[in-house]
mmCIF file of all heavy atoms in Angstrom:
data_model
loop_
_atom_site.group_PDB
_atom_site.id
_atom_site.type_symbol
_atom_site.label_atom_id
_atom_site.label_comp_id
_atom_site.label_asym_id
_atom_site.label_seq_id
_atom_site.Cartn_x
_atom_site.Cartn_y
_atom_site.Cartn_z
ATOM 1 N N ILE H 1272 -26.038 -5.995 -9.204
ATOM 2 C CA ILE H 1272 -25.945 -5.465 -10.558
ATOM 3 C C ILE H 1272 -24.590 -5.778 -11.172
ATOM 4 O O ILE H 1272 -23.640 -6.107 -10.458
ATOM 5 C CB ILE H 1272 -26.173 -3.933 -10.543
ATOM 6 C CG1 ILE H 1272 -26.615 -3.416 -11.918
ATOM 7 C CG2 ILE H 1272 -24.909 -3.209 -10.084
ATOM 8 C CD1 ILE H 1272 -27.105 -1.986 -11.897
ATOM 9 N N GLY H 1273 -24.490 -5.697 -12.504
ATOM 10 C CA GLY H 1273 -23.176 -5.774 -13.132
ATOM 11 C C GLY H 1273 -23.040 -6.859 -14.181
ATOM 12 O O GLY H 1273 -23.996 -7.208 -14.878
ATOM 13 N N THR H 1274 -21.834 -7.400 -14.263
ATOM 14 C CA THR H 1274 -21.488 -8.393 -15.281
ATOM 15 C C THR H 1274 -21.021 -9.696 -14.643
ATOM 16 O O THR H 1274 -20.264 -10.462 -15.246
ATOM 17 C CB THR H 1274 -20.364 -7.848 -16.185
ATOM 18 O OG1 THR H 1274 -19.204 -7.581 -15.362
ATOM 19 C CG2 THR H 1274 -20.769 -6.569 -16.871
ATOM 20 N N ALA H 1282 -28.042 -5.924 -20.965
ATOM 21 C CA ALA H 1282 -28.424 -5.087 -19.827
ATOM 22 C C ALA H 1282 -29.929 -5.152 -19.616
ATOM 23 O O ALA H 1282 -30.710 -5.166 -20.563
ATOM 24 C CB ALA H 1282 -27.994 -3.638 -20.078
ATOM 25 N N GLY H 1283 -30.313 -5.203 -18.347
ATOM 26 C CA GLY H 1283 -31.730 -5.260 -18.006
ATOM 27 C C GLY H 1283 -32.260 -6.657 -17.820
ATOM 28 O O GLY H 1283 -33.430 -6.839 -17.471
ATOM 29 N N LEU H 1462 -28.741 -8.638 -11.775
ATOM 30 C CA LEU H 1462 -29.295 -7.746 -12.788
ATOM 31 C C LEU H 1462 -28.160 -7.300 -13.698
ATOM 32 O O LEU H 1462 -27.257 -6.575 -13.264
ATOM 33 C CB LEU H 1462 -29.963 -6.528 -12.133
ATOM 34 C CG LEU H 1462 -30.463 -5.430 -13.078
ATOM 35 C CD1 LEU H 1462 -31.559 -5.953 -14.000
ATOM 36 C CD2 LEU H 1462 -30.957 -4.221 -12.280
ATOM 37 N N SER H 1463 -28.189 -7.731 -14.947
ATOM 38 C CA SER H 1463 -27.117 -7.364 -15.871
ATOM 39 C C SER H 1463 -27.180 -5.876 -16.208
ATOM 40 O O SER H 1463 -28.258 -5.321 -16.450
ATOM 41 C CB SER H 1463 -27.212 -8.179 -17.160
ATOM 42 O OG SER H 1463 -26.221 -7.747 -18.084
ATOM 43 N N SER H 1464 -26.021 -5.244 -16.203
ATOM 44 C CA SER H 1464 -25.912 -3.856 -16.667
ATOM 45 C C SER H 1464 -24.849 -3.770 -17.752
ATOM 46 O O SER H 1464 -24.197 -2.746 -17.937
ATOM 47 C CB SER H 1464 -25.563 -2.925 -15.495
ATOM 48 O OG SER H 1464 -24.267 -3.232 -14.997
ATOM 49 N N SER H 1465 -24.680 -4.874 -18.473
ATOM 50 C CA SER H 1465 -23.626 -4.990 -19.467
ATOM 51 C C SER H 1465 -24.064 -4.381 -20.795
ATOM 52 O O SER H 1465 -25.013 -4.839 -21.429
ATOM 53 C CB SER H 1465 -23.257 -6.458 -19.666
ATOM 54 O OG SER H 1465 -22.227 -6.594 -20.612
ATOM 55 N N ASN H 1466 -23.372 -3.347 -21.204
ATOM 56 C CA ASN H 1466 -23.679 -2.671 -22.465
ATOM 57 C C ASN H 1466 -22.361 -2.256 -23.106
ATOM 58 O O ASN H 1466 -21.696 -1.331 -22.632
ATOM 59 C CB ASN H 1466 -24.573 -1.456 -22.213
ATOM 60 C CG ASN H 1466 -25.083 -0.825 -23.493
ATOM 61 O OD1 ASN H 1466 -24.346 -0.693 -24.472
ATOM 62 N ND2 ASN H 1466 -26.344 -0.420 -23.491
ATOM 63 N N THR H 1471 -19.946 -0.510 -20.300
ATOM 64 C CA THR H 1471 -20.314 -0.993 -18.966
ATOM 65 C C THR H 1471 -20.274 -2.519 -18.910
ATOM 66 O O THR H 1471 -20.966 -3.133 -18.101
ATOM 67 C CB THR H 1471 -21.724 -0.499 -18.575
ATOM 68 O OG1 THR H 1471 -22.692 -1.049 -19.494
ATOM 69 C CG2 THR H 1471 -21.798 1.009 -18.595
ATOM 70 N N ASP H 1472 -19.469 -3.133 -19.778
ATOM 71 C CA ASP H 1472 -19.360 -4.589 -19.798
ATOM 72 C C ASP H 1472 -18.042 -5.069 -19.209
ATOM 73 O O ASP H 1472 -17.636 -6.210 -19.405
ATOM 74 C CB ASP H 1472 -19.515 -5.111 -21.234
ATOM 75 C CG ASP H 1472 -18.518 -4.486 -22.207
ATOM 76 O OD1 ASP H 1472 -17.877 -3.479 -21.834
ATOM 77 O OD2 ASP H 1472 -18.382 -5.000 -23.329
ATOM 78 N N ASP H 1481 -18.202 0.525 -14.409
ATOM 79 C CA ASP H 1481 -19.385 1.383 -14.478
ATOM 80 C C ASP H 1481 -20.583 0.517 -14.827
ATOM 81 O O ASP H 1481 -20.433 -0.660 -15.207
ATOM 82 C CB ASP H 1481 -19.187 2.488 -15.515
ATOM 83 C CG ASP H 1481 -20.219 3.612 -15.384
ATOM 84 O OD1 ASP H 1481 -20.895 3.680 -14.338
ATOM 85 O OD2 ASP H 1481 -20.345 4.418 -16.317
ATOM 86 N N VAL H 1482 -21.788 1.075 -14.706
ATOM 87 C CA VAL H 1482 -23.016 0.343 -14.984
ATOM 88 C C VAL H 1482 -23.876 1.119 -15.975
ATOM 89 O O VAL H 1482 -23.729 2.337 -16.137
ATOM 90 C CB VAL H 1482 -23.832 0.094 -13.698
ATOM 91 C CG1 VAL H 1482 -23.038 -0.754 -12.714
ATOM 92 C CG2 VAL H 1482 -24.245 1.416 -13.051
ATOM 93 N N ASP H 1483 -24.780 0.419 -16.639
ATOM 94 C CA ASP H 1483 -25.760 1.045 -17.517
ATOM 95 C C ASP H 1483 -26.892 1.581 -16.642
ATOM 96 O O ASP H 1483 -27.676 0.819 -16.090
ATOM 97 C CB ASP H 1483 -26.291 0.012 -18.519
ATOM 98 C CG ASP H 1483 -27.225 0.616 -19.551
ATOM 99 O OD1 ASP H 1483 -27.683 1.763 -19.345
ATOM 100 O OD2 ASP H 1483 -27.511 -0.054 -20.554
ATOM 101 N N VAL H 1486 -30.969 0.682 -16.412
ATOM 102 C CA VAL H 1486 -31.619 -0.491 -15.801
ATOM 103 C C VAL H 1486 -32.112 -0.215 -14.381
ATOM 104 O O VAL H 1486 -32.751 -1.085 -13.775
ATOM 105 C CB VAL H 1486 -30.665 -1.713 -15.779
ATOM 106 C CG1 VAL H 1486 -30.101 -1.991 -17.162
ATOM 107 C CG2 VAL H 1486 -29.533 -1.534 -14.774
#
Side-chain angles (χ1 to χ4, degrees):
I1272 202 169
T1274 61
L1462 174 63
S1463 176
S1464 65
S1465 181
N1466 188 319
T1471 63
D1472 56 347
D1481 195 15
V1482 298
D1483 185 346
V1486 307

